[in-house]
């Protein structure tokens, strides 16, 4: 008590001391991070408009929580999705403002109507089942708390309405004229014939030309938009697996094998040896499994298809009371005992559902009373019983259930998974039985198509995990490698340690997947930290994997792609340009024959070619060559033309113009879909010209 009293008396001093300690900690952190200058409160900006992090974080958290199409999203996936949404909203909102686009009440209500959660809500529908604006307004007038929740929906509705107006304007402005249809007609129908000499690029060996990094850079600069890079970090790495050793595996196997025959154990309480029963003779099998297995006892009967595929035949054929194993199931070392069998444990059935007005949970194909539904169901029952092979077609044509698309097939199911009348019919009748039952969903014409027997197994499964000794050994190896590799040749140190260096990962700032180890945001984040330099090495502990030791090998800054990144895309093009220079130098002469002779090739002919179909026989698609021929006067020889497959010189022979036609509607219709696709290019076009600052790396 005296000690407690002293603590109470000095609590003020303690709190003051703690306060000073916390203050000192904060000061220290501030000094370490460069003073009191805090990082940006904004996750980024779009054309000068800041995106506040707290607002962004809430949106990203909601996106992560709700997922996409029912799938779980990671924090980074959610942040990336919301970032793209913020960019689109900001850029489009600017356009709406410039154009003076406004959304009135009618637009907003139309947007609400098209939202299934609102438009199809019975609270807002009239007697005809249609969205009723009056009922909608009355509901929120009578429920002011609900009206507050509607405000956010209203903001989205306004934005969507404006976008629909904007989209309509873009589509309305992107139409195809008759002049464009005429031009398309001429491209397809005007024909040109010419003689030509072709010297293919393949006539010059790659070893006969020299391509430098500067050549690749010059090509990228000429096509800068195609070769923009956001900047990357290149990271090579080794994986040091924390996996069970041979000794770990042996210990688990010995332990499980020992359970088969029982054991004698000394009892400290009684001072005597106790004989523990083995797996086969144990009387309380569920307790035995609970005490000895990493996987709990499962009292559910399993069909053969539900058993481990590699051992399904042996397990399913196991007589009751007998044991199978030991065997491996994934990472578990197992023994299984057959406890019982059950015939017809799972069933498969098809049905035709006929519902009636008043059952709202079913989308009916037609309106009908209960009496009419019963009559139709009985008619279908008679048809199915007289011709069971036609059941699938009857279901597809008549069933009110979504299973109609599968011919009424409901797949396999266990007892009590279906409504009681349906369940009782299926499990109380043999395969092939067709009958009729009524449930809360309507009348079911049922066809029992299959049944499966099942077995009850008691399984002792022990996971083969690395022991503490193994984990400690792996940790020591990973730590030693990290220290040895710092400032040394990474590949040489890895080879000496018996490790494999994985190819370098090119990571973008907001990437999270990392090579063979999946989601490892921590490694990417480390590579982008200001105090991480090229050549730095760091070890990362990865759950269920072991250790990754990573080395930052290169920093590629924002701007043009690196030569290594672009080379796979443009190597052939740049090489062909170099080859073209050599070929052009030899394509001299006053006639095609002279040029052909100088290059040891023959003069060839191109006949009745069009711009739309510029396929030159024995050569390939060469639109530049055909286009040049159209522009030449008769018997005029062109300058050398660098094409797709080689260098060409052409001599025009004749051009046959397309006959005039009164209308070009068919050609206008061909072009129209291309014009309508313009709306899909709005965001990329706006984004390309926007000033976007991305600070997400500070927060994620």
């Amino acid at each position: 008590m005296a000690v407690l009293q002293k603590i109470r008396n000095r609590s003020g001093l303690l709190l003051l001391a703690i306060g000073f300690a916390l203050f000192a900690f904060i000061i220290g952190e501030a000094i370490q991070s460069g003073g009191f200058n805090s990082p940006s409160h904004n996750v980024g900006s779009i054309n000068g408009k800041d995106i506040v992090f707290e607002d962004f974080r809430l949106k990203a958290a909601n996106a992560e929580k709700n997922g996409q199409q029912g799938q779980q999203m990671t924090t980074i996936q959610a942040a990336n999705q919301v970032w793209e949404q913020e960019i689109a909203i900001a850029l489009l909102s600017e356009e709406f403002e410039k154009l003076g686009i406004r959304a009135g009440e009618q637009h907003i209500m139309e947007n609400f109507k098209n939202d299934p959660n609102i438009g199809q809500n019975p609270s807002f529908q009239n007697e005809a089942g249609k969205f009723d604006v009056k009922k909608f307004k009355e509901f929120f007038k009578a429920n002011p708390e609900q009206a507050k929740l509607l405000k956010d929906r209203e903001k989205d509705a306004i934005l969507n309405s404006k976008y629909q107006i904007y989209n309509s304007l873009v589509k309305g402005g992107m139409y195809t004229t008759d002049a464009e249809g005429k031009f398309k007609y001429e491209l397809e129908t005007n024909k040109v014939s010419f003689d030509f000499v072709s010297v293919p690029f393949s006539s010059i060996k790659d070893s006969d030309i020299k391509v430098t990094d500067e050549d690749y850079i010059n090509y990228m600069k000429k096509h800068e938009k195609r070769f923009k890079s956001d900047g990357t970090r290149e990271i090579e790495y080794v994986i040091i697996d924390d996996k069970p050793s041979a000794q770990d595996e042996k210990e688990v196997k010995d332990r499980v094998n020992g359970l088969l025959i029982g054991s004698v154990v000394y009892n400290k309480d009684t001072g005597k040896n106790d004989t523990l029963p083995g797996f086969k003779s144990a009387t309380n099998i569920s307790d035995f499994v609970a005490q000895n297995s990493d996987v709990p006892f499962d009292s559910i009967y399993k069909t053969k298809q539900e058993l481990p595929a590699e051992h399904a035949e042996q397990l399913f054929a196991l007589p009751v009371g007998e044991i199978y194993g030991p065997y491996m199931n994934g990472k578990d070392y197992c023994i299984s005992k057959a406890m019982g069998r059950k015939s017809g444990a799972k069933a498969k059935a098809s049905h035709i559902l006929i519902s009636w007005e008043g059952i709202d949970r079913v989308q009916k194909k037609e309106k009908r009373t209960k009496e009419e539904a019963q009559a139709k169901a009985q008619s279908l029952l008679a048809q199915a019983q007289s011709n069971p092979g036609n059941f699938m077609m009857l279901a597809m044509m008549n069933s009110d259930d979504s299973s109609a698309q599968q011919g009424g097939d409901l797949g396999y199911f266990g007892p009590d998974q279906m409504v009681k009348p349906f369940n009782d019919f299926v499990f109380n009748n043999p395969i092939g039985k067709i009958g009729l039952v009524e449930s809360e969903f309507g009348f079911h014409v049922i066809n029992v198509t299959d049944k499966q027997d099942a077995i009850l197994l008691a399984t002792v499964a022990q996971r083969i995990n690395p022991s503490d000794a193994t984990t400690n050994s792996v940790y020591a190896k990973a730590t030693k490698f990290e220290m040895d590799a710092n400032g040394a040749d990474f590949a040489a140190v890895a080879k000496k340690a018996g490790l494999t260096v994985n190819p370098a990962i090119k990571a973008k700032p907001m990437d999270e997947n990392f090579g063979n180890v999946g989601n490892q945001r921590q490694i990417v984040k480390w590579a982008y930290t200001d105090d991480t330099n090229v050549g730095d090495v760091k070890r990362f502990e990865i759950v269920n994997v072991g250790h990754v030791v990573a080395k930052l090998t290169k920093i590629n800054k924002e701007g043009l792609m690196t030569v290594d990144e672009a080379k796979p895309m443009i190597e052939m093009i740049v090489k062909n340009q170099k080859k073209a220079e050599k070929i052009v130098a030899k394509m001299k002469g006053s006639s095609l024959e002279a040029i052909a002779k100088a290059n040891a090739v023959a003069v060839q002919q191109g006949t009745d070619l069009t711009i739309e179909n510029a396929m030159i026989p024995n050569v390939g698609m060469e639109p530049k060559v055909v286009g040049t021929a159209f522009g030449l006067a008769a018997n005029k020889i062109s300058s050398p033309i660098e094409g797709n497959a080689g260098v060409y010189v052409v001599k025009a022979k004749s051009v046959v113009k397309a006959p005039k036609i009164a209308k070009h509607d068919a050609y206008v219709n061909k072009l129209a879909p291309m014009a309508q696709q313009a709306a899909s290019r709005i965001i990329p076009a706006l984004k390309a010209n926007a000033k976007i600052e991305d600070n997400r790396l500070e927060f994620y």
Side-chain angles (χ1 to χ4, degrees):
M1 288 298 291
V3 174
L4 288 175
Q5 187 59 43
K6 285 181 181 179
I7 290 174
R8 290 192 191 102
N9 292 338
R10 296 182 181 180
S11 59
L13 292 172
L14 284 170
L15 288 172
L16 191 61
I18 291 167
F20 273 120
L22 286 172
F23 184 66
F25 174 75
I26 293 165
I27 293 287
E29 286 294 302
I31 291 168
Q32 281 188 348
S33 61
F36 286 96
N37 295 325
S38 62
S40 171
H41 291 295
N42 302 319
V43 78
S45 67
I46 298 139
N47 285 342
K49 181 189 175 185
D50 292 332
I51 308 296
V52 179
F53 173 66
E54 191 56 32
D55 294 340
F56 183 89
R57 184 189 67 79
L58 289 172
K59 291 177 183 177
N62 284 332
E64 184 180 355
K65 180 182 175 182
N66 297 328
Q68 192 173 28
Q69 296 179 347
Q71 295 183 346
Q72 183 67 37
M73 295 178 77
T74 66
T75 300
I76 298 299
Q77 285 173 335
N80 289 340
Q81 177 182 291
V82 172
W83 177 248
E84 292 302 321
Q85 288 173 353
E86 290 294 308
I87 291 173
I89 290 169
L91 296 177
L92 286 170
S93 295
E94 281 184 18
E95 296 301 301
F96 302 158
E97 196 62 34
K98 288 177 190 175
L99 296 169
I101 294 174
R102 299 288 181 268
E105 184 183 358
Q106 187 176 349
H107 295 112
I108 296 167
M109 287 301 164
E110 189 64 26
N111 206 275
F112 281 150
K113 176 184 172 183
N114 293 329
D115 183 339
N117 294 317
I118 297 175
Q120 295 177 20
N121 190 319
S123 300
F124 311 137
Q125 291 178 340
N126 57 24
E127 294 177 358
K130 303 291 184 183
F131 179 73
D132 190 318
V133 174
K134 187 178 178 183
K135 287 191 74 173
F136 177 79
K137 289 181 177 180
E138 286 174 351
F139 176 86
F140 287 103
K141 189 176 180 181
N143 297 276
E145 289 299 318
Q146 296 289 331
K148 291 177 184 177
L149 299 175
L150 187 68
K151 285 294 179 185
D152 286 335
R153 286 288 186 98
E154 193 171 310
K155 289 177 185 176
D156 292 339
I158 291 170
L159 191 65
N160 287 333
S161 299
K162 287 180 179 180
Y163 178 70
Q164 286 165 9
I165 296 168
Y166 179 73
N167 200 31
S168 298
L169 289 172
V170 172
K171 286 184 175 180
M174 299 300 295
Y175 57 90
T176 306
T177 64
D178 189 67
E180 289 173 303
K182 181 185 176 187
F183 185 60
K184 171 75 171 170
Y185 165 66
E186 290 172 350
L187 290 178
E188 289 189 13
T189 317
N190 286 348
K191 295 178 181 178
V192 65
S193 297
F194 55 89
D195 294 334
F196 69 96
V197 171
S198 166
V199 180
F201 294 132
S202 58
S203 64
I204 296 180
K205 295 178 181 177
D206 286 356
S207 57
D208 291 340
I209 58 168
K210 185 180 179 182
V211 182
T212 65
D213 285 356
E214 189 177 355
D215 293 321
Y216 291 115
I217 292 168
N218 288 337
Y219 182 86
M220 286 191 284
K221 283 181 177 178
K222 288 178 183 176
H223 309 85
E224 198 168 343
K225 285 190 176 180
R226 284 173 52 198
F227 297 99
K228 274 188 177 180
S229 172
D230 294 333
T232 57
R233 299 288 192 271
E234 295 187 25
I235 312 157
E236 60 184 8
Y237 64 102
V238 299
I239 300 173
I240 303 172
D241 293 312
D242 186 12
K243 57 186 179 182
S245 66
Q247 180 60 31
D248 296 336
E249 189 172 330
K250 181 179 183 303
E251 286 178 6
V252 173
K253 288 183 175 180
D254 288 347
R255 196 159 58 239
V256 173
N257 289 340
L259 295 173
L260 288 168
I261 56 175
S263 58
V264 176
V265 178
Y266 176 73
N267 190 324
K268 290 181 181 179
D269 295 333
T270 62
K272 297 179 181 179
N273 289 332
D274 291 342
T275 301
L276 301 180
F279 189 39
K280 187 168 186 177
S281 58
T283 53
N284 191 329
I285 205 71
S286 61
D287 280 354
F288 188 93
V289 171
Q291 291 168 14
N292 296 287
S293 177
D294 293 332
V295 179
F297 177 70
D298 188 351
S299 60
I300 297 174
Y301 282 77
K302 301 286 179 67
T303 63
K304 187 192 290 186
Q305 287 77 5
E306 294 172 308
L307 299 176
E310 192 178 345
H311 306 280
E313 287 291 341
Q314 297 92 326
L315 287 168
F316 197 72
L318 199 61
V320 173
E322 293 300 313
I323 291 175
Y324 173 74
Y327 64 95
M328 287 298 299
N329 181 23
K331 293 183 179 181
D332 294 336
Y333 194 60
C334 309
I335 47 176
S336 293
K337 181 178 181 180
M339 303 299 295
R341 308 189 72 85
K342 188 182 286 185
S343 61
K346 287 205 171 180
K348 186 180 183 185
S350 297
H351 80 144
I352 306 169
L353 176 63
I354 305 299
S355 193
W356 59 84
E357 290 302 303
I359 298 179
D360 296 329
R361 289 180 288 176
V362 177
Q363 290 283 353
K364 294 166 280 296
K365 289 185 176 178
E366 60 185 64
K367 287 187 176 182
R368 59 177 83 89
T369 63
K370 182 176 181 179
E371 291 73 20
E372 290 170 336
Q374 186 173 19
K376 181 167 185 175
Q378 288 172 338
S379 172
L380 290 167
L381 172 66
Q383 293 177 59
Q385 287 175 331
S386 64
N387 186 5
N390 199 35
F391 195 96
M392 178 185 289
M393 189 59 65
L394 290 173
M396 292 177 72
M397 299 297 292
N398 297 282
S399 184
D400 290 331
D401 185 56
S402 58
S403 67
Q405 297 173 5
Q406 290 81 43
D409 186 6
L410 297 170
Y412 286 97
F413 49 89
D416 303 322
Q417 285 185 247
M418 299 293 183
V419 289
K420 192 173 188 310
F422 193 105
N423 176 87
D424 292 349
F425 180 87
V426 171
F427 284 97
N428 292 332
N429 283 288
I431 297 170
K433 179 69 175 179
I434 297 174
L436 178 66
V437 300
E438 179 186 341
S439 80
E440 61 207 69
F441 296 99
F443 292 104
H444 305 261
V445 180
I446 305 171
N447 183 12
V448 182
T449 55
D450 193 20
K451 289 193 176 181
Q452 292 182 334
D453 295 345
I455 187 170
L456 176 62
L457 294 172
T459 298
V460 172
Q462 292 194 10
R463 178 64 50 93
I464 301 179
N465 287 320
S467 64
D468 289 345
T470 299
T471 297
N472 292 338
S473 174
V474 171
Y475 172 79
K477 182 179 181 180
T479 304
K480 184 177 186 305
F481 177 77
E482 179 188 17
M483 291 188 294
D484 292 346
N486 256 306
D489 184 324
F490 195 73
V493 176
K495 186 177 181 181
K496 186 177 178 182
L499 299 168
T500 302
V501 178
N502 290 277
I505 301 296
K506 288 181 181 175
K508 293 179 181 178
M510 289 303 290
D511 282 352
E512 58 181 346
N513 282 329
F514 189 82
N516 300 329
V517 287
N519 186 340
Q520 292 302 324
R521 177 67 184 157
Q522 57 175 332
I523 302 178
V524 178
K525 184 94 174 177
W526 164 77
Y528 276 91
T529 303
D530 289 340
D531 57 1
T532 301
N533 301 308
V534 171
D536 284 358
V537 173
K538 186 172 174 63
R539 178 186 60 83
F540 298 88
E541 197 162 331
I542 311 297
V543 177
N544 297 326
V545 173
H547 303 264
V548 167
V549 181
K551 178 182 179 181
L552 180 62
T553 58
K554 198 171 183 182
I555 295 176
N556 301 315
K557 294 185 178 179
E558 187 177 350
L560 279 179
M561 284 182 185
T562 64
V563 170
D564 288 341
E565 285 177 307
K567 201 171 181 179
M569 296 182 275
I570 62 174
E571 184 174 16
M572 186 64 71
I573 297 170
V574 176
K575 281 183 176 179
N576 286 345
Q577 286 180 343
K578 287 284 186 180
K579 292 179 180 181
E581 292 172 8
K582 285 181 171 285
I583 294 170
V584 168
K586 296 193 296 179
M587 295 191 86
K588 308 290 184 184
S590 57
S591 67
L592 287 185
E593 288 73 18
I595 295 170
K597 186 176 181 181
N599 289 276
V601 295
V603 177
Q604 300 180 69
Q605 290 78 41
T607 305
D608 291 342
L609 297 173
T610 69
I611 293 291
E612 287 282 287
N613 184 17
M615 180 68 74
I616 301 176
N618 304 318
V619 175
M621 187 65 73
E622 292 289 3
K624 195 186 292 187
V625 176
V626 175
T628 301
F630 268 109
L632 290 174
N635 297 315
K636 179 77 174 176
I637 297 177
S638 74
S639 300
I641 308 157
E642 187 180 331
N644 293 328
V647 180
Y648 303 80
V649 174
V650 303
K651 178 182 177 181
K653 290 168 69 175
S654 65
V655 174
V656 178
K657 295 285 187 181
K660 291 186 178 181
I661 56 176
K663 290 186 176 182
H664 304 93
D665 294 354
Y667 299 91
V668 169
N669 292 336
K670 284 184 181 182
L671 293 170
M674 295 174 62
Q676 292 302 305
Q677 291 172 9
S680 65
R681 299 193 290 272
I682 292 170
I683 300 297
L686 293 173
K687 194 174 175 181
N689 295 311
K691 185 180 178 182
I692 298 172
E693 183 182 333
D694 186 352
N695 301 328
R696 285 178 294 159
L697 192 59
E698 293 181 19
F699 303 95
Y700 290 95

